[in-house]
Amino acid sequence: MAGSRKLPDAERVAAAARRLLAAQDLRGRRLLAGLSGGVDSVVLLHVLRALAPQFGYRLAALHVHHGLSRNAGRWSRFCAALCRRWRVPLSVRRVRVRRAGEGIEAAARAARYAVFRRSRAAAVALAHQLDDQAETVLLNLLRGAGAAGASGMPAAGRQRGLLLLRPLLEVPREAIVAYAEANGLAWMEDESNADETLTRNFLRRRVAPLLARRFPRWRESLARAARHFAAAEIDANRLLREFLGARGLRAPSERRLAEMLRQLTRAREDARIELKHDGAVLRRYRSRVTVERQQSPARFAPVTWDGAARLALAPLGGELRFRRARGAGIDPARLARAPVVVRLRSGGERLQPDARRPRRTLKNLFQEAGVPPWERERLPLLYCGTDLIWAPGLGVDAHYHAGPAARGIVPEWRPAGASGTRRARRATPRSPRRAAAGRAP
């Protein structure tokens, strides 16, 4: 890339296209060039036509008639005349642009890409160049886009299975115009390019000149940043594939993978994310992702504890264990007042693990301890009569604490498959950080 900047502007165009095409396997296959009639697409078609014998593809052109300009018919006729003169097969497709919430430019782009996908070509070549890339990255950043938006446009990439090539993506606009003039090419000027009510035109006509005066290489810098963001996005995709594979799940399609990654990484911190894939559910809570096989929860009815050291709770997928410890856990003398029963949450429960602090809702306590919402509903709670006396990961209610000399009862929740103390939910109160570290994955 550094060497290409030393070439005369007109030669940079062919050099950039040649590098990209050399990395593709297009011999004997149909390559479709998007042709609007503007200088960028005319130059692209001219270059691809010149390089066709070297790379062996079958070149054709496609013009999309959006019907948005009163000059749209002139553009179509210009493209038809150009392709007849150059003996390049041309297809003209009329589309109806449905104005959506994202604006007329986005709607026209969506209609255009839909036509490309129906083309059945091995690849579609588009005339985006360096200025387009820099403008796209800057616009996306101004709109608060994540890494995917800041990655800009790839020089070669797939969109819904269609291979899109952008051979001129590293070439600035002035080099493309120089190429066109050096080769005596004619092109059409789009009157809408002067309309500064369109965001991209405002950026191009007002903002870009200011940036160029202070930062002469601003386009190259943004394009380089886009490549860094794209590399990070690729790494994130690979990590997510490996994460799913390690849990016995099939890899999703590229489109589905990108959407899963977007939701897992870009939603609000407090958003409740649940993604279904290959018979499993991926959930995100506080930057932590868990995977569980998709199944309907078993019905659970309250269970009375008879004092045994273990109490199996199959519908909840684990067992409660009870051990004795001096000065810790539940005071057994207080349990003689009423039966001890295991129940699930019903809403509005309160607990006071610390006698120095007021009684608080389980919801607040679980949030502070970092217990994910989907786990809270299936955690066993100990009641003595109507009093909530213990909750996993939170501890014993202050009114039921064993005294320093008493041999208290320490409950512990053990999900099925847990080993050691890492996954157990003990009775003793812990800090939010320790509680989060000790919860069941």
Side-chain angles (χ1 to χ4, degrees), residues 63-103:
H63 174 76
V64 179
H65 188 306
H66 299 92
L68 296 175
S69 167
R70 64 180 182 274
N71 296 316
R74 290 182 56 214
W75 285 69
S76 296
R77 291 191 294 273
F78 171 84
C79 292
L82 180 69
C83 288
R84 279 196 303 271
R85 189 163 65 252
W86 287 354
R87 297 183 179 180
V88 175
L90 172 70
S91 298
V92 177
R93 296 287 183 267
R94 288 179 174 268
V95 297
R96 177 177 296 178
V97 178
R98 301 184 182 277
R99 299 172 186 257
E102 295 185 10

Short mmCIF file of all heavy atoms in Angstrom, two decimals, residues 63-103:
data_model
loop_
_atom_site.label_atom_id
_atom_site.label_comp_id
_atom_site.label_asym_id
_atom_site.label_seq_id
_atom_site.Cartn_x
_atom_site.Cartn_y
_atom_site.Cartn_z
N HIS A 63 -26.89 -1.37 -13.85
CA HIS A 63 -27.30 -0.02 -13.47
C HIS A 63 -28.66 -0.10 -12.78
O HIS A 63 -29.61 -0.69 -13.31
CB HIS A 63 -27.41 0.87 -14.73
CG HIS A 63 -27.96 2.24 -14.43
ND1 HIS A 63 -27.22 3.23 -13.83
CD2 HIS A 63 -29.21 2.77 -14.63
CE1 HIS A 63 -27.96 4.30 -13.68
NE2 HIS A 63 -29.17 4.06 -14.16
N VAL A 64 -28.75 0.49 -11.59
CA VAL A 64 -30.00 0.51 -10.83
C VAL A 64 -30.67 1.87 -11.02
O VAL A 64 -30.09 2.91 -10.68
CB VAL A 64 -29.76 0.22 -9.34
CG1 VAL A 64 -31.09 0.28 -8.58
CG2 VAL A 64 -29.10 -1.14 -9.16
N HIS A 65 -31.86 1.85 -11.59
CA HIS A 65 -32.64 3.07 -11.85
C HIS A 65 -33.55 3.29 -10.64
O HIS A 65 -34.57 2.63 -10.47
CB HIS A 65 -33.47 2.85 -13.12
CG HIS A 65 -34.18 4.08 -13.63
ND1 HIS A 65 -35.01 4.83 -12.83
CD2 HIS A 65 -34.18 4.68 -14.86
CE1 HIS A 65 -35.50 5.83 -13.54
NE2 HIS A 65 -35.01 5.77 -14.77
N HIS A 66 -33.16 4.26 -9.78
CA HIS A 66 -33.92 4.51 -8.55
C HIS A 66 -35.17 5.35 -8.78
O HIS A 66 -36.09 5.32 -7.96
CB HIS A 66 -33.04 5.21 -7.52
CG HIS A 66 -31.83 4.43 -7.10
ND1 HIS A 66 -30.61 4.56 -7.73
CD2 HIS A 66 -31.66 3.51 -6.14
CE1 HIS A 66 -29.73 3.76 -7.16
NE2 HIS A 66 -30.33 3.11 -6.19
N GLY A 67 -35.18 6.13 -9.85
CA GLY A 67 -36.33 6.98 -10.12
C GLY A 67 -36.46 8.16 -9.17
O GLY A 67 -37.54 8.75 -9.05
N LEU A 68 -35.37 8.52 -8.49
CA LEU A 68 -35.44 9.61 -7.51
C LEU A 68 -35.13 10.97 -8.13
O LEU A 68 -35.49 12.00 -7.57
CB LEU A 68 -34.46 9.33 -6.36
CG LEU A 68 -34.76 8.09 -5.51
CD1 LEU A 68 -33.65 7.88 -4.49
CD2 LEU A 68 -36.11 8.23 -4.81
N SER A 69 -34.41 10.98 -9.25
CA SER A 69 -34.02 12.23 -9.89
C SER A 69 -34.76 12.42 -11.21
O SER A 69 -35.05 11.44 -11.90
CB SER A 69 -32.50 12.23 -10.13
OG SER A 69 -32.12 13.28 -10.99
N ARG A 70 -35.02 13.66 -11.56
CA ARG A 70 -35.65 13.91 -12.86
C ARG A 70 -34.69 13.55 -13.99
O ARG A 70 -35.10 13.44 -15.16
CB ARG A 70 -36.07 15.38 -12.95
CG ARG A 70 -34.92 16.37 -12.92
CD ARG A 70 -35.43 17.80 -13.03
NE ARG A 70 -34.35 18.78 -13.03
CZ ARG A 70 -33.80 19.29 -11.93
NH1 ARG A 70 -34.26 18.91 -10.74
NH2 ARG A 70 -32.82 20.17 -12.01
N ASN A 71 -33.40 13.38 -13.67
CA ASN A 71 -32.41 13.01 -14.67
C ASN A 71 -32.08 11.53 -14.68
O ASN A 71 -31.13 11.11 -15.33
CB ASN A 71 -31.11 13.81 -14.44
CG ASN A 71 -31.31 15.30 -14.61
OD1 ASN A 71 -31.96 15.73 -15.56
ND2 ASN A 71 -30.76 16.09 -13.70
N ALA A 72 -32.87 10.73 -13.94
CA ALA A 72 -32.57 9.31 -13.82
C ALA A 72 -32.55 8.63 -15.19
O ALA A 72 -31.73 7.74 -15.46
CB ALA A 72 -33.57 8.63 -12.90
N GLY A 73 -33.45 9.03 -16.08
CA GLY A 73 -33.49 8.45 -17.43
C GLY A 73 -32.23 8.76 -18.21
O GLY A 73 -31.71 7.90 -18.94
N ARG A 74 -31.70 9.99 -18.07
CA ARG A 74 -30.45 10.35 -18.74
C ARG A 74 -29.30 9.50 -18.25
O ARG A 74 -28.43 9.09 -19.03
CB ARG A 74 -30.14 11.83 -18.50
CG ARG A 74 -31.08 12.80 -19.22
CD ARG A 74 -30.64 14.23 -18.94
NE ARG A 74 -29.24 14.44 -19.34
CZ ARG A 74 -28.41 15.26 -18.69
NH1 ARG A 74 -28.81 15.91 -17.61
NH2 ARG A 74 -27.17 15.40 -19.12
N TRP A 75 -29.28 9.20 -16.94
CA TRP A 75 -28.22 8.37 -16.39
C TRP A 75 -28.28 6.97 -17.00
O TRP A 75 -27.25 6.40 -17.38
CB TRP A 75 -28.36 8.28 -14.87
CG TRP A 75 -27.92 9.53 -14.16
CD1 TRP A 75 -28.53 10.74 -14.17
CD2 TRP A 75 -26.75 9.68 -13.35
NE1 TRP A 75 -27.84 11.65 -13.42
CE2 TRP A 75 -26.74 11.03 -12.89
CE3 TRP A 75 -25.74 8.83 -12.95
CZ2 TRP A 75 -25.74 11.52 -12.07
CZ3 TRP A 75 -24.74 9.32 -12.11
CH2 TRP A 75 -24.74 10.65 -11.69
N SER A 76 -29.47 6.41 -17.09
CA SER A 76 -29.62 5.08 -17.68
C SER A 76 -29.17 5.06 -19.13
O SER A 76 -28.49 4.13 -19.58
CB SER A 76 -31.08 4.61 -17.57
OG SER A 76 -31.46 4.45 -16.22
N ARG A 77 -29.55 6.08 -19.90
CA ARG A 77 -29.17 6.13 -21.31
C ARG A 77 -27.65 6.29 -21.46
O ARG A 77 -27.04 5.70 -22.36
CB ARG A 77 -29.91 7.27 -22.02
CG ARG A 77 -31.40 7.01 -22.17
CD ARG A 77 -32.06 8.02 -23.09
NE ARG A 77 -32.03 9.37 -22.54
CZ ARG A 77 -32.96 9.87 -21.71
NH1 ARG A 77 -33.98 9.10 -21.33
NH2 ARG A 77 -32.88 11.12 -21.28
N PHE A 78 -27.06 7.09 -20.57
CA PHE A 78 -25.60 7.25 -20.62
C PHE A 78 -24.90 5.90 -20.38
O PHE A 78 -23.95 5.54 -21.09
CB PHE A 78 -25.14 8.26 -19.57
CG PHE A 78 -23.65 8.33 -19.40
CD1 PHE A 78 -22.87 9.11 -20.24
CD2 PHE A 78 -23.01 7.60 -18.40
CE1 PHE A 78 -21.48 9.16 -20.09
CE2 PHE A 78 -21.64 7.64 -18.24
CZ PHE A 78 -20.88 8.43 -19.09
N CYS A 79 -25.36 5.17 -19.37
CA CYS A 79 -24.74 3.88 -19.05
C CYS A 79 -24.91 2.89 -20.20
O CYS A 79 -23.99 2.12 -20.53
CB CYS A 79 -25.34 3.32 -17.77
SG CYS A 79 -24.92 4.26 -16.27
N ALA A 80 -26.09 2.90 -20.82
CA ALA A 80 -26.34 1.99 -21.94
C ALA A 80 -25.41 2.30 -23.11
O ALA A 80 -24.83 1.39 -23.73
CB ALA A 80 -27.79 2.08 -22.36
N ALA A 81 -25.24 3.60 -23.42
CA ALA A 81 -24.36 3.99 -24.53
C ALA A 81 -22.91 3.63 -24.22
O ALA A 81 -22.17 3.15 -25.10
CB ALA A 81 -24.50 5.49 -24.79
N LEU A 82 -22.49 3.85 -22.98
CA LEU A 82 -21.11 3.53 -22.59
C LEU A 82 -20.83 2.04 -22.73
O LEU A 82 -19.79 1.64 -23.28
CB LEU A 82 -20.88 3.99 -21.14
CG LEU A 82 -19.49 3.73 -20.56
CD1 LEU A 82 -18.46 4.62 -21.24
CD2 LEU A 82 -19.48 3.96 -19.05
N CYS A 83 -21.74 1.21 -22.26
CA CYS A 83 -21.52 -0.23 -22.30
C CYS A 83 -21.58 -0.77 -23.74
O CYS A 83 -20.87 -1.72 -24.08
CB CYS A 83 -22.54 -0.94 -21.41
SG CYS A 83 -22.23 -0.70 -19.64
N ARG A 84 -22.41 -0.16 -24.60
CA ARG A 84 -22.40 -0.56 -26.01
C ARG A 84 -21.05 -0.25 -26.64
O ARG A 84 -20.50 -1.07 -27.39
CB ARG A 84 -23.52 0.16 -26.77
CG ARG A 84 -24.89 -0.45 -26.62
CD ARG A 84 -25.86 0.07 -27.68
NE ARG A 84 -25.98 1.53 -27.65
CZ ARG A 84 -26.85 2.20 -26.91
NH1 ARG A 84 -27.69 1.54 -26.13
NH2 ARG A 84 -26.89 3.53 -26.96
N ARG A 85 -20.54 0.93 -26.31
CA ARG A 85 -19.25 1.34 -26.90
C ARG A 85 -18.11 0.43 -26.41
O ARG A 85 -17.20 0.11 -27.16
CB ARG A 85 -18.98 2.80 -26.54
CG ARG A 85 -17.78 3.40 -27.27
CD ARG A 85 -17.80 4.91 -27.22
NE ARG A 85 -17.65 5.44 -25.86
CZ ARG A 85 -18.63 6.02 -25.17
NH1 ARG A 85 -19.84 6.13 -25.69
NH2 ARG A 85 -18.41 6.48 -23.96
N TRP A 86 -18.18 0.04 -25.13
CA TRP A 86 -17.12 -0.80 -24.57
C TRP A 86 -17.41 -2.30 -24.70
O TRP A 86 -16.61 -3.12 -24.29
CB TRP A 86 -16.92 -0.45 -23.09
CG TRP A 86 -16.26 0.87 -22.88
CD1 TRP A 86 -15.73 1.69 -23.84
CD2 TRP A 86 -16.05 1.53 -21.62
NE1 TRP A 86 -15.19 2.81 -23.26
CE2 TRP A 86 -15.37 2.75 -21.90
CE3 TRP A 86 -16.36 1.23 -20.30
CZ2 TRP A 86 -15.01 3.64 -20.90
CZ3 TRP A 86 -16.00 2.11 -19.30
CH2 TRP A 86 -15.34 3.31 -19.59
N ARG A 87 -18.57 -2.62 -25.26
CA ARG A 87 -18.98 -4.02 -25.45
C ARG A 87 -18.99 -4.80 -24.13
O ARG A 87 -18.47 -5.91 -24.04
CB ARG A 87 -18.06 -4.71 -26.46
CG ARG A 87 -18.13 -4.08 -27.85
CD ARG A 87 -17.28 -4.81 -28.84
NE ARG A 87 -17.40 -4.19 -30.16
CZ ARG A 87 -16.74 -4.62 -31.26
NH1 ARG A 87 -15.93 -5.68 -31.16
NH2 ARG A 87 -16.91 -4.00 -32.41
N VAL A 88 -19.60 -4.17 -23.15
CA VAL A 88 -19.81 -4.80 -21.84
C VAL A 88 -21.30 -5.04 -21.67
O VAL A 88 -22.09 -4.09 -21.79
CB VAL A 88 -19.28 -3.91 -20.69
CG1 VAL A 88 -19.62 -4.53 -19.33
CG2 VAL A 88 -17.79 -3.69 -20.82
N PRO A 89 -21.74 -6.28 -21.43
CA PRO A 89 -23.17 -6.54 -21.21
C PRO A 89 -23.71 -5.70 -20.04
O PRO A 89 -23.08 -5.62 -18.99
CB PRO A 89 -23.23 -8.03 -20.89
CG PRO A 89 -21.95 -8.58 -21.46
CD PRO A 89 -20.94 -7.50 -21.34
N LEU A 90 -24.88 -5.09 -20.24
CA LEU A 90 -25.46 -4.22 -19.22
C LEU A 90 -26.88 -4.65 -18.91
O LEU A 90 -27.68 -4.92 -19.81
CB LEU A 90 -25.47 -2.76 -19.69
CG LEU A 90 -26.24 -1.77 -18.79
CD1 LEU A 90 -25.51 -1.55 -17.47
CD2 LEU A 90 -26.47 -0.44 -19.52
N SER A 91 -27.21 -4.67 -17.63
CA SER A 91 -28.59 -4.86 -17.18
C SER A 91 -29.02 -3.59 -16.46
O SER A 91 -28.26 -3.03 -15.67
CB SER A 91 -28.69 -6.05 -16.21
OG SER A 91 -28.30 -7.25 -16.85
N VAL A 92 -30.23 -3.14 -16.75
CA VAL A 92 -30.81 -1.98 -16.07
C VAL A 92 -32.01 -2.46 -15.26
O VAL A 92 -32.91 -3.09 -15.81
CB VAL A 92 -31.23 -0.89 -17.07
CG1 VAL A 92 -31.90 0.27 -16.33
CG2 VAL A 92 -30.03 -0.40 -17.87
N ARG A 93 -31.99 -2.16 -13.97
CA ARG A 93 -33.08 -2.61 -13.10
C ARG A 93 -33.73 -1.40 -12.44
O ARG A 93 -33.07 -0.59 -11.80
CB ARG A 93 -32.54 -3.56 -12.02
CG ARG A 93 -31.95 -4.85 -12.56
CD ARG A 93 -33.06 -5.78 -13.04
NE ARG A 93 -32.52 -7.05 -13.51
CZ ARG A 93 -32.19 -7.31 -14.76
NH1 ARG A 93 -32.37 -6.36 -15.69
NH2 ARG A 93 -31.70 -8.48 -15.11
N ARG A 94 -35.04 -1.29 -12.61
CA ARG A 94 -35.80 -0.23 -11.94
C ARG A 94 -36.24 -0.71 -10.56
O ARG A 94 -36.64 -1.88 -10.40
CB ARG A 94 -37.03 0.14 -12.76
CG ARG A 94 -36.70 0.91 -14.04
CD ARG A 94 -37.98 1.22 -14.82
NE ARG A 94 -37.71 2.07 -15.96
CZ ARG A 94 -37.77 3.40 -15.94
NH1 ARG A 94 -38.12 4.02 -14.81
NH2 ARG A 94 -37.50 4.11 -17.01
N VAL A 95 -36.13 0.15 -9.58
CA VAL A 95 -36.55 -0.20 -8.22
C VAL A 95 -37.47 0.88 -7.68
O VAL A 95 -37.46 2.02 -8.15
CB VAL A 95 -35.33 -0.35 -7.27
CG1 VAL A 95 -34.44 -1.49 -7.70
CG2 VAL A 95 -34.55 0.95 -7.19
N ARG A 96 -38.26 0.50 -6.71
CA ARG A 96 -39.10 1.47 -6.00
C ARG A 96 -38.47 1.69 -4.63
O ARG A 96 -38.36 0.75 -3.83
CB ARG A 96 -40.52 0.95 -5.85
CG ARG A 96 -41.43 1.88 -5.04
CD ARG A 96 -42.83 1.36 -4.97
NE ARG A 96 -43.45 1.31 -6.30
CZ ARG A 96 -44.68 0.85 -6.53
NH1 ARG A 96 -45.40 0.38 -5.51
NH2 ARG A 96 -45.17 0.85 -7.75
N VAL A 97 -38.03 2.89 -4.37
CA VAL A 97 -37.37 3.21 -3.11
C VAL A 97 -38.43 3.54 -2.07
O VAL A 97 -39.20 4.49 -2.23
CB VAL A 97 -36.40 4.39 -3.27
CG1 VAL A 97 -35.76 4.75 -1.93
CG2 VAL A 97 -35.33 4.05 -4.30
N ARG A 98 -38.46 2.73 -1.03
CA ARG A 98 -39.44 2.94 0.04
C ARG A 98 -38.77 3.78 1.13
O ARG A 98 -37.83 3.33 1.78
CB ARG A 98 -39.90 1.60 0.61
CG ARG A 98 -40.55 0.72 -0.45
CD ARG A 98 -41.08 -0.57 0.15
NE ARG A 98 -41.64 -1.44 -0.88
CZ ARG A 98 -42.86 -1.33 -1.36
NH1 ARG A 98 -43.66 -0.37 -0.91
NH2 ARG A 98 -43.30 -2.16 -2.30
N ARG A 99 -39.25 4.99 1.29
CA ARG A 99 -38.64 5.91 2.26
C ARG A 99 -38.91 5.39 3.67
O ARG A 99 -40.05 5.27 4.09
CB ARG A 99 -39.22 7.31 2.09
CG ARG A 99 -38.93 7.90 0.71
CD ARG A 99 -39.68 9.20 0.50
NE ARG A 99 -39.52 9.67 -0.87
CZ ARG A 99 -38.69 10.65 -1.22
NH1 ARG A 99 -37.98 11.25 -0.29
NH2 ARG A 99 -38.57 11.01 -2.48
N ALA A 100 -37.81 5.07 4.37
CA ALA A 100 -37.93 4.53 5.72
C ALA A 100 -37.38 5.53 6.73
O ALA A 100 -36.98 6.64 6.38
CB ALA A 100 -37.17 3.20 5.81
N GLY A 101 -37.34 5.11 8.01
CA GLY A 101 -36.91 6.01 9.06
C GLY A 101 -35.47 6.46 8.94
O GLY A 101 -35.10 7.52 9.44
N GLU A 102 -34.61 5.68 8.27
CA GLU A 102 -33.19 6.04 8.18
C GLU A 102 -32.90 7.06 7.09
O GLU A 102 -31.76 7.49 6.92
CB GLU A 102 -32.35 4.78 7.94
CG GLU A 102 -32.40 3.81 9.11
CD GLU A 102 -31.47 2.63 8.90
OE1 GLU A 102 -30.66 2.67 7.95
OE2 GLU A 102 -31.56 1.68 9.68
N GLY A 103 -33.89 7.46 6.29
CA GLY A 103 -33.66 8.47 5.28
C GLY A 103 -33.62 7.89 3.88
O GLY A 103 -33.52 6.68 3.67
#
